[in-house]
Amino acid sequence: MKQTDTFISVIDQLNPHLKKYDLNKMVYDFENLNPNIEVSQLQIEEIYLFPVYKKVN
């Protein structure tokens, strides 16, 4: 995480094809990938796993 990053900005960077967001699902997926971290606890200069979603045509 960089100082200017937010949860949504990182999701956008990793998933530029997304047109709609299911924020509850994204938070759920993030917290499953990072079991001891809540989205509200993100820290600068830490490394986290973020979900990447397949592009649906």
Side-chain angles (χ1 to χ4, degrees):
M1 294 288 295
K2 296 177 292 192
Q3 186 171 2
T4 58
D5 285 340
T6 65
F7 176 74
I8 293 295
S9 72
V10 175
I11 291 288
D12 280 341
Q13 290 171 32
L14 296 173
N15 298 281
H17 58 280
L18 290 180
K19 302 288 188 242
K20 295 182 181 180
Y21 295 94
D22 182 343
L23 189 55
N24 290 330
K25 179 178 179 13
M26 291 177 179
V27 168
Y28 177 83
D29 292 343
F30 175 86
E31 290 177 352
N32 277 328
L33 292 169
N34 304 276
N36 298 318
I37 301 294
E38 294 180 17
V39 170
S40 62
Q41 298 174 322
L42 298 180
Q43 300 288 318
I44 296 168
E45 297 186 14
E46 291 293 327
I47 297 173
Y48 303 102
L49 299 174
F50 280 83
V52 175
Y53 300 98
K54 287 181 12 178
K55 185 175 182 177
V56 177
N57 293 332

